[in-house]
Amino acid sequence: MALERYTLTRAGYDQLQRELTDYQERRAQQQIEMESIQDNTTENYPEEGAEFEARTMREIMDERIGNLILILQQADVTDEDPNPRTIDPGDRVTAWNVQDREEVEFDLVGSAEVMYGREGVSIESPVGQALIGRRVGDVVDVATPDGMTRYAIRRVVRTPDHG
């Protein structure tokens, strides 16, 4: 069975790496606090609720740390624009929404980046899938929750780093 790969921009990869480091540091601090709670509990202090809460938080942090490690280990990082003439992950697309008669911008990023709080449109979303591989001047129709939306692609530039 093939492992799932995660497409990340360099800024997204760096952001997730910083988040992993932060969680690991907080997890180590939490371990110290947990040991203190356990010491207090053995001295007959009624800290059972605090111990349960600390264990629950530890499990949540361990799961988050494991997920971040998995994503980072299986990341395909887009450092440079593979083809400046077409839309690729890590590009900022300016398009004209034909129905709403307004200009919109999309930063195309991997779904893992969106999941961890990065602003942008996932390349796995309907809009992302419709834009990938297109060029300035192309018109795309996208099925959205509000119905079909037509975008005329006006400009494509590399997304500035948010790191």
Side-chain angles (χ1 to χ4, degrees):
M1 177 178 191
L3 295 174
E4 182 176 357
R5 301 298 299 172
Y6 298 92
T7 301
L8 300 174
T9 61
R10 172 55 59 192
Y13 182 89
D14 293 344
Q15 176 186 341
L16 293 181
Q17 186 65 53
R18 284 189 304 273
E19 188 167 337
L20 173 61
T21 301
D22 180 57
Y23 271 107
Q24 289 171 326
E25 290 170 358
R26 289 174 30 201
R27 174 64 173 83
Q29 180 62 37
Q30 185 187 41
Q31 183 63 35
I32 294 167
E33 292 170 9
M34 183 70 175
E35 290 168 5
S36 172
I37 290 170
Q38 288 173 343
D39 290 344
N40 288 338
T41 303
T42 60
E43 296 173 10
N44 296 324
Y45 290 107
E47 298 289 338
E48 293 174 11
E51 185 175 356
F52 175 77
E53 184 177 326
R55 276 193 200 135
T56 302
M57 288 303 299
R58 181 178 60 201
E59 290 172 7
I60 291 169
M61 290 183 101
D62 287 347
E63 184 176 336
R64 189 86 174 212
I65 288 168
N67 194 34
L68 284 166
I69 289 170
L70 178 73
I71 290 168
L72 292 169
Q73 286 176 342
Q74 295 171 207
D76 292 324
V77 180
T78 58
D79 281 312
E80 296 180 20
D81 196 348
N83 185 345
R85 294 186 189 154
T86 63
I87 298 172
D88 301 296
D91 284 343
R92 176 172 288 162
V93 178
T94 304
W96 180 255
N97 181 321
V98 175
Q99 288 86 341
D100 294 343
R101 301 180 56 83
E102 67 181 358
E103 192 171 80
V104 293
E105 274 190 348
F106 304 106
D107 287 352
L108 295 178
V109 297
S111 61
E113 292 178 67
V114 174
M115 180 174 68
Y116 280 92
R118 175 126 185 236
E119 299 260 337
V121 173
S122 167
I123 58 174
E124 289 86 9
S125 72
V127 172
Q129 289 179 357
L131 293 174
I132 292 292
R134 300 301 184 119
R135 299 172 181 261
V136 171
D138 287 353
V139 176
V140 296
D141 291 313
V142 181
T144 66
D146 295 330
M148 291 301 286
T149 302
R150 178 169 283 175
Y151 296 107
I153 301 168
R154 290 185 162 178
R155 187 176 61 207
V156 177
V157 296
R158 201 68 181 156
T159 303
D161 284 347
H162 295 281

